[in-house]
Amino acid sequence: MRVYFELATVIFILLFVSNFTRNKLFMMIASFISMGFMAFITGTRFSLGGYDYQNYAFFYDNVIAIHKLDLGEFFSTEKIIGYDRGWYILNSIVKASGLNFFALTMTVSFLFMIVVWWVIRKYLENEMLIPVTFLGFYFLDVGFVYMRQSIAIAIFALSIRFLIGNKRNAFMYFGLITIAATVHFSAFVLYPLWFFTKVTWTKRGARDTVLIGSLLFILPVLGVKFDNVISRFGGLIGGNGGSKITEVGVRYAAGMVNPMHLIIFLLLSFFAIRAINDKENNEVQNGFMWIFMMLLPIYTIFAGTEIIIRNQFYFYLAIPVVLDFALRRFKEGSKVVLTSGYLILCLALMFKFAISFDDGELTAYINFIQNDMNIFDDYRLY
């Protein structure tokens, strides 16, 4: 796990310096370097990411390059959402370059991390909150395992400017979410956000929602599941995505999300709610608060429904923003302590995932460069 410790050290140093300099240019450069380092690690990984990595490699090796693809037939013979049409097109474009699967992993990693960084940084005073959040909530799981969903998350990030603030645009928002859903069908859950964000949060309303919502965690504890309700939506999507929804009770293992996720949410919500100012309607803060609060039903009502739990990654985008708004109310010394504590939390989450995923597979990191390979090799992984 040496490379993870090196990454953590770099981010710790850059966060420490940025906390004291408060220089915007330095923060931008520091956060960009941190995100680039993570993208390089995930993009160059070799055969790490479990069964999903194998599937992605096999899929890439068998797609048709974009210049050889009959696009008219491609889009007319099957539905778009649920059949991964967008993911196929991305693979097809990279394949047309003549490069191998490693070029795809690098393309996906850099697109994901740099696009999210570019979008979210515009809402922050302390841009280092982005790489710190990525360490705990995105780096190893989404970066190493969920390649398709990472692109859908990046597209969702691009849609946020049309969801929040004075540039709200229904056509652009729904259009981008539809494109995201062609890459990963789960993005369809983002459609209702447009209507939710029209409602303004108050401090009391948010507090009561979290309190009442948390009590609903008793439902999955008692064995209450919503598989039958969710499975009825499979026919609306079709394809592999529709099959996953229809067969949700069969395809996904029984079990519950770790209650620690709810505890962490409650901890973060304490600071997020504290930052709400009932006398000042900040549309950006309110919009990201809505995105953040979407985590509550995932960790309570749907805590035993894995296909819903995986949607958490879309809503993690709000964490650095709601925390940044909260930190603005603290003095400089308190900010240093709180951001340091947040870094420790994210590092703990990162190392926990590395140790627990596939019996610790990710702890033995290796990249294709170490194996004397490159993106130009005529190489098929499987």
Side-chain angles (χ1 to χ4, degrees):
M1 290 199 291
R2 177 180 173 181
V3 69
Y4 305 145
F5 283 104
E6 292 173 348
L7 173 65
T9 301
V10 169
I11 291 180
F12 171 78
I13 293 172
L14 293 176
L15 177 66
F16 181 81
V17 175
S18 67
N19 273 333
F20 285 97
T21 62
R22 312 304 295 180
N23 182 279
K24 290 293 293 182
L25 178 61
F26 177 83
M27 287 185 186
M28 182 187 73
I29 296 173
S31 61
F32 179 78
I33 290 173
S34 301
M35 297 297 286
F37 193 2
M38 278 189 276
F40 178 80
I41 293 172
T42 60
T44 60
R45 71 193 184 281
F46 177 74
S47 200
L48 292 172
Y51 185 64
D52 292 77
Y53 185 92
Q54 300 173 27
N55 281 340
Y56 290 132
F58 181 80
F59 184 86
Y60 179 80
D61 287 339
N62 289 278
V63 300
I64 301 172
I66 191 73
H67 60 281
K68 298 179 181 179
L69 191 63
D70 185 338
L71 294 177
E73 181 181 354
F74 180 77
F75 285 113
S76 66
T77 56
E78 295 180 317
K79 296 178 182 178
I80 296 179
I81 298 178
Y83 287 87
D84 305 333
R85 301 291 89 184
W87 178 245
Y88 193 104
I89 290 296
L90 177 60
N91 279 253
S92 187
I93 292 172
V94 178
K95 189 73 172 285
S97 69
L99 304 178
N100 59 32
F101 174 66
F102 302 134
L104 178 71
T105 60
M106 292 193 68
T107 299
V108 169
S109 291
F110 278 93
L111 274 177
F112 169 47
M113 297 196 182
I114 300 306
V115 166
V116 171
W117 169 80
W118 179 254
V119 171
I120 301 301
R121 62 174 290 270
K122 298 176 183 179
Y123 301 103
L124 303 178
E125 287 188 356
N126 188 348
E127 295 180 27
M128 281 302 295
L129 287 175
I130 303 174
V132 173
T133 299
F134 260 71
L135 277 179
F137 296 92
Y138 286 113
F139 174 51
L140 292 183
D141 37 13
V142 178
F144 275 65
V145 184
Y146 304 127
M147 288 177 64
R148 277 192 306 131
Q149 194 170 9
S150 72
I151 295 299
I153 293 168
I155 297 172
F156 171 51
L158 291 173
S159 76
I160 288 177
R161 65 174 298 189
F162 303 111
L163 174 70
I164 295 172
N166 57 10
K167 293 185 178 181
R168 276 176 64 92
N169 185 309
F171 177 79
M172 292 298 298
Y173 177 72
F174 288 118
L176 285 169
I177 295 306
T178 300
I179 293 173
T182 69
V183 177
H184 197 282
F185 71 94
S186 63
F188 77 90
V189 303
L190 300 170
Y191 287 126
L193 263 180
W194 173 265
F195 307 100
F196 294 153
T197 51
K198 291 184 177 181
V199 181
T200 301
W201 282 107
T202 63
K203 193 183 293 287
R204 179 176 180 178
R207 185 178 61 244
D208 292 348
T209 299
V210 170
L211 177 62
I212 296 172
S214 299
L215 297 177
L216 296 178
F217 185 69
I218 192 65
L219 294 178
V221 171
L222 296 175
V224 178
K225 302 188 72 173
F226 298 89
D227 293 350
N228 291 334
V229 176
I230 294 171
S231 65
R232 296 179 181 180
F233 290 92
L236 299 176
I237 295 177
N240 185 50
S243 297
K244 288 182 178 180
I245 297 174
T246 302
E247 302 171 15
V248 61
V250 178
R251 288 202 180 202
Y252 296 90
M256 273 184 50
V257 66
N258 191 324
M260 183 58 65
H261 287 281
L262 177 59
I263 295 174
I264 293 173
F265 170 82
L266 293 176
L267 175 63
L268 296 175
S269 67
F270 169 79
F271 292 100
I273 294 172
R274 187 177 184 273
I276 295 176
N277 186 346
D278 291 338
K279 297 179 180 180
E280 178 184 331
N281 180 22
N282 188 310
E283 293 183 350
V284 171
Q285 182 181 13
N286 186 69
F288 275 101
M289 190 66 184
W290 267 111
I291 298 174
F292 173 71
M293 291 291 272
M294 292 297 102
L295 291 167
L296 180 60
I298 292 176
Y299 294 148
T300 54
I301 300 174
F302 298 110
T305 309
E306 185 177 351
I307 197 171
I308 298 296
I309 295 170
R310 292 188 180 185
N311 292 321
Q312 64 189 328
F313 300 113
Y314 294 109
F315 308 122
Y316 287 158
L317 292 181
I319 292 178
V321 182
V322 296
L323 278 184
D324 191 74
F325 273 101
L327 289 171
R328 295 175 192 181
R329 295 178 173 271
F330 289 90
K331 295 181 179 179
E332 293 302 319
S334 298
K335 289 181 180 179
V336 173
V337 174
L338 290 171
T339 53
S340 299
Y342 182 54
L343 174 61
I344 293 172
L345 170 64
C346 290
L347 287 175
L349 292 173
M350 179 187 73
F351 286 115
K352 177 183 178 298
F353 187 85
I355 294 170
S356 61
F357 180 79
D358 273 11
D359 298 321
E361 174 194 273
L362 299 183
T363 59
Y365 176 81
I366 187 171
N367 61 42
F368 63 77
I369 299 173
Q370 293 171 295
N371 279 355
D372 294 323
M373 299 176 179
N374 58 63
I375 61 176
F376 304 101
D377 288 336
D378 184 12
Y379 179 77
R380 291 174 68 93
L381 195 59
Y382 297 102

